[in-house]
Amino acid sequence: MKLFAKLLIAAGFIALTARPAFADRNAALAYSAPEYPAGMYVVASSAQKQEPVYSRNTGLKTFDDDAEYSFDNNYEVNDPFEGWNRFWFGFNDVLYVDVLKPLHKGYSAVTPWELRAGVSNFFHNLLYPVRFVSCMLQGKFAEASVESARFVVNTTAGFGGLMNPAKENKPLIKISDDEEDMGQTLGVWGFGEGFYLVWPFLGPSSLRDTAGLTGDYFLNPVSYVTPWTASTGLKSYNEFNSFDRQLADYEELKKAAVEPYTAIRNAYVQSRRSRVAR
């Protein structure tokens, strides 16, 4: 942990000294392709459209900010464990709003924005193996080559991934902005989504996407940090670092939806089906 503390201090120093390189705050925090932390639905207001954000297969990071989703309570979703799912949905709601929200507010107050942007960019760069292998297994070779080029640029010119210079370089080949994961790969291979699940801390998922997390785990370099408590701590810190943007969209959806559980469930399932179909 002493080594991690030293690395964090060094990362902060580099991010602060490189401040002029961050042309604008939204661009730096938007990384280079779309994804949000696991499971919550993203709503972009017309007055303040956000950059694309990352999407994984569970939790507060899953939805396209410019897509439209149905809020029909009769939307076809296999949810045989609705009682279980509603319990953990309520648990997560309290965790997000009553615990993590005030904690992150204090964290943001004492942590320079440049450091938070650098941390987000650094961890996103580390997840390159997940995106690359998923693209290759789905036959998306153009996307895989673009991911590789971005990784090389950001690792070298971006001080180990702390900055994201590759974001400003548009690829010559037209590719999808979606980020790939092993849950999507299983879907492309023909595996059904199974039933809907809500996991504590992680949020919405499905049986297929939960299985996909196993592949994502082994492809994530942070998983090999020892001891396991350090690995878990690093992953948790990465999610917590960018929690404010995800929470804002989650709270906006809750206010707009008549039944938040159903709205988030339907949005999650539609988003994942859309990504698999592309």
Side-chain angles (χ1 to χ4, degrees):
M1 295 306 294
K2 290 182 179 179
L3 175 60
F4 170 67
K6 292 179 180 178
L7 290 174
L8 188 59
I9 293 172
F13 174 77
I14 293 175
L16 289 173
T17 56
R19 181 169 183 166
F22 294 96
D24 67 82
R25 299 190 172 190
N26 288 334
L29 279 177
Y31 321 100
S32 57
E35 194 181 343
Y36 248 145
M40 304 310 161
Y41 169 71
V42 177
V43 178
S45 66
S46 59
Q48 188 178 15
K49 184 172 178 60
Q50 298 180 5
E51 292 287 327
V53 287
Y54 297 130
S55 164
R56 285 193 207 152
N57 51 7
T58 59
L60 279 177
K61 300 179 184 167
T62 303
F63 306 102
D64 293 320
D65 56 348
D66 57 352
E68 295 183 1
Y69 299 100
S70 169
F71 294 94
D72 182 359
N73 290 344
N74 296 319
Y75 185 79
E76 185 179 349
V77 176
N78 186 14
D79 191 6
F81 301 107
E82 184 172 345
W84 159 280
N85 292 334
R86 284 186 178 273
F87 172 80
W88 288 117
F89 174 81
F91 171 86
N92 289 339
D93 183 66
V94 173
L95 175 68
Y96 299 152
V97 177
D98 297 333
V99 179
L100 294 181
K101 180 179 180 179
L103 286 176
H104 193 278
K105 186 175 181 179
Y107 167 75
S108 300
V110 300
T111 307
W113 173 86
E114 292 82 359
L115 176 57
R116 287 185 283 132
V119 168
S120 296
N121 289 330
F122 176 77
F123 278 103
H124 176 261
N125 198 53
L126 276 184
L127 288 174
Y128 159 74
V130 177
R131 300 188 297 273
F132 175 78
V133 173
S134 297
C135 286
M136 293 295 291
L137 292 177
Q138 294 178 45
K140 297 180 178 180
F141 303 119
E143 285 85 344
S145 64
V146 171
E147 286 289 352
S148 298
R150 286 172 173 167
F151 174 75
V152 171
V153 171
N154 288 337
T155 302
T156 54
F159 296 96
L162 289 172
M163 293 186 293
N164 188 11
K167 179 180 181 298
E168 305 303 324
N169 299 320
K170 302 300 180 183
L172 297 177
I173 305 172
K174 179 66 175 178
I175 64 171
S176 169
D177 285 333
D178 291 342
E179 294 207 350
E180 309 298 333
D181 54 60
M182 291 305 295
Q184 287 176 235
T185 300
L186 292 175
V188 171
W189 286 0
F191 289 88
E193 66 192 16
F195 45 81
Y196 178 72
L197 287 169
V198 177
W199 293 113
F201 305 105
L202 296 178
S205 185
S206 67
L207 183 61
R208 181 184 65 208
D209 289 339
T210 299
L213 284 176
T214 303
D216 293 343
Y217 174 87
F218 287 107
L219 291 171
N220 186 347
V222 181
S223 301
Y224 298 95
V225 173
T226 55
W228 69 269
T229 51
S231 173
T232 302
L234 287 170
K235 292 178 180 179
S236 300
Y237 174 61
N238 177 37
E239 300 296 331
F240 179 73
N241 181 66
S242 58
F243 181 72
D244 52 341
R245 295 183 64 188
Q246 306 143 26
L247 180 65
D249 295 315
Y250 172 62
E251 291 184 316
E252 187 174 344
L253 173 62
K254 281 183 61 181
K255 292 179 181 178
V258 175
E259 215 289 276
Y261 170 81
T262 303
I264 290 173
R265 181 195 66 187
N266 292 356
Y268 177 84
V269 173
Q270 289 181 71
S271 175
R272 296 300 291 176
R273 290 176 180 175
S274 174
R275 291 180 181 278
V276 170
R278 292 176 186 172

